[in-house]
């Protein structure tokens, strides 16, 4: 079971919490070991325990008739992608050149061709009514694995969401290229967590600032965080570069380097150590994301 949990963590990029695992055990009982890791990840995404960190929203556009640059760009990129050799070759080989309808039958078509044992990769996709991205296990080297490769190339070249790139190859549906894409990346080390914004060059900087402010407020649960002062941060950097030990010798060395800032000197070792430790804790665990 540990191996199954590890595979689930690899797929969704986050550990499987104990309460999540207990919910899955309650749902499947002894049959849990017969389930695919990708399917269990999807189950958790739809479960009462789901959080924003465990789900990837499906990116939707404004539909036909949109007048924004984003809508126009999305349509033009899809037009270009239709003529790509890799897209044409896959559609010809697997679909005989006939696109699938984008309806409830799409998921059944994918599930019928899913891998049920042996080595597997995960193929992301969406359905018309899905709020979050879904995934299906595929065997390496299979036609669905080839689809995954083609979709990943499309996603990279056109800034598409991989799940929507899959839908494009299968159905011809136009993936949206958002004006601004926001991702909150949470790390096991809180200090390494970050907010990533991908912006169209045409985006108004004021709009970008507004989006960042709203996302930051939401991601931090409206908590306020005061950045440590320059002196405290300088102490942390200085001590960290000397094995992270705020000893008396390090304090004296620090004072010698502060001729331009005599007010930054420390006469008391305890205060020097307290500055280092308290500031280090704020830097490593800001409790903001």
């Amino acid at each position: 079971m540990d191996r199954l949990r590890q595979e689930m963590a690899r797929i969704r990029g986050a550990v499987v919490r104990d309460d999540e695992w207990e919910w899955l055990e309650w749902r499947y009982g002894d049959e849990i070991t017969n389930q695919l890791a990708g399917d269990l990840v999807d189950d958790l995404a739809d479960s009462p325990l789901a959080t924003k960190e465990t789900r990837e929203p499906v990116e939707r556009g404004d539909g036909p008739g949109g007048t924004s640059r984003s809508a126009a760009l999305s349509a033009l990129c899809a037009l270009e992608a239709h003529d790509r050799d890799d897209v044409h070759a896959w559609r010809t080989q697997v679909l005989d050149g006939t696109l699938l309808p984008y309806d409830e039958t799409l998921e059944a078509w994918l599930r019928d061709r899913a891998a049920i044992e042996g080595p597997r990769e995960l193929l992301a996709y969406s359905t018309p009514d899905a709020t979050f991205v879904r995934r299906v296990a595929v065997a390496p080297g299979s036609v669905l694995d080839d689809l995954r490769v083609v979709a990943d190339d499309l996603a990279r070249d056109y800034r598409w969401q991989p799940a929507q790139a899959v839908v494009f190859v299968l159905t011809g549906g136009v993936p949206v290229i958002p004006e601004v894409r926001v991702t909150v990346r949470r790390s096991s080390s809180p200090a390494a967590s970050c907010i990533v914004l991908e912006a169209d060059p045409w985006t108004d900087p004021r709009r970008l600032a507004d989006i960042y402010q709203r996302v930051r407020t939401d991601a931090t649960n409206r908590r306020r965080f005061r950045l440590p002062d320059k002196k405290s941060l300088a102490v942390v950097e200085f001590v960290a570069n000397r094995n992270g030990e705020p000893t008396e010798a390090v304090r004296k060395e620090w004072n010698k380097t502060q001729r331009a800032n005599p007010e930054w000197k420390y006469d008391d070792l305890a205060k020097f150590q307290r500055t280092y430790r308290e500031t280090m804790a704020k830097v490593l665990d800001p409790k903001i994301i």
Side-chain angles (χ1 to χ4, degrees):
M1 289 191 183
D2 287 344
R3 186 174 181 179
L4 183 59
R5 288 182 71 169
Q6 291 171 1
E7 177 65 10
M8 291 174 62
R10 184 191 68 79
I11 291 170
R12 77 174 191 176
V15 298
V16 178
R17 304 190 310 268
D18 288 343
D19 60 331
E20 293 176 320
W21 186 253
E22 290 171 1
W23 183 82
L24 289 171
E25 287 184 321
W26 168 80
R27 180 172 184 179
Y28 289 104
D30 294 339
E31 290 298 313
I32 191 171
T33 56
N34 297 325
Q35 308 304 311
L36 298 178
D39 290 342
L40 293 177
V41 169
D42 287 344
D43 287 341
L44 284 180
D46 295 329
S47 77
L49 300 175
T51 65
K52 293 179 181 178
E53 294 78 14
T54 63
R55 300 178 293 181
E56 179 185 357
V58 174
E59 293 180 348
R60 304 288 189 188
D62 296 330
T67 57
S68 69
R69 180 178 185 274
S70 176
L73 179 62
S74 299
L76 288 172
C77 285
L79 181 65
E80 179 180 290
H82 278 299
D83 292 330
R84 285 175 55 130
D85 291 341
D86 53 353
V87 173
H88 179 73
W90 193 91
R91 286 173 171 173
T92 300
Q93 175 189 354
V94 182
L95 303 179
D96 197 25
T98 302
L99 297 176
L100 300 176
Y102 189 38
D103 56 25
E104 66 278 0
T105 64
L106 178 65
E107 185 165 42
W109 189 92
L110 289 169
R111 294 286 178 181
D112 286 345
R113 292 157 178 79
I116 58 175
E117 59 183 17
R120 294 179 291 262
E121 298 289 344
L122 268 294
L123 177 70
Y125 68 97
S126 72
T127 57
D129 59 347
T131 302
F132 302 101
V133 168
R134 298 179 179 180
R135 293 173 176 83
V136 64
V138 301
S142 66
V143 291
L144 290 189
D145 191 41
D146 291 342
L147 171 60
R148 180 185 61 82
V149 173
V150 172
D152 285 349
D153 287 343
L154 289 169
R156 182 187 63 249
D157 293 345
Y158 296 113
R159 198 155 49 89
W160 289 349
Q161 186 178 38
Q164 295 296 73
V166 167
V167 170
F168 166 78
V169 177
L170 292 171
T171 72
V174 177
V176 63
I177 302 177
E179 181 182 2
V180 179
R181 177 181 285 132
V182 182
T183 307
V184 179
R185 294 180 181 170
R186 289 174 169 82
S187 170
S188 57
S189 173
S193 297
C194 64
I195 298 173
V196 180
L197 275 70
E198 300 175 48
D200 188 293
W202 290 47
T203 304
D204 188 322
R206 293 169 297 183
R207 169 170 160 74
L208 200 59
D210 180 62
I211 291 173
Y212 173 76
Q213 179 63 49
R214 286 189 281 110
V215 172
R216 184 178 185 273
T217 299
D218 181 62
T220 60
N221 293 320
R222 300 185 178 275
R223 288 193 297 267
R224 293 187 176 183
F225 176 76
R226 179 178 296 177
L227 187 71
D229 59 74
K230 291 183 178 180
K231 173 185 174 181
S232 299
L233 291 170
V235 168
V236 168
E237 179 184 6
F238 188 87
V239 176
N241 285 329
R242 287 156 182 79
N243 296 322
E245 295 294 336
T247 63
E248 176 65 14
V250 173
R251 181 191 69 82
K252 290 181 178 180
E253 185 181 354
W254 163 267
N255 285 346
K256 289 180 181 179
T257 65
Q258 301 307 314
R259 294 179 180 176
N261 301 295
E263 69 278 9
W264 282 20
K265 292 182 178 181
Y266 285 86
D267 297 326
D268 182 63
L269 176 61
K271 289 184 179 179
F272 182 70
Q273 292 175 330
R274 184 166 59 252
T275 296
Y276 171 72
R277 289 167 181 157
E278 290 180 354
T279 307
M280 177 184 66
K282 291 181 180 178
V283 170
L284 291 180
D285 188 5
K287 300 186 184 304
I288 189 170
I289 292 181

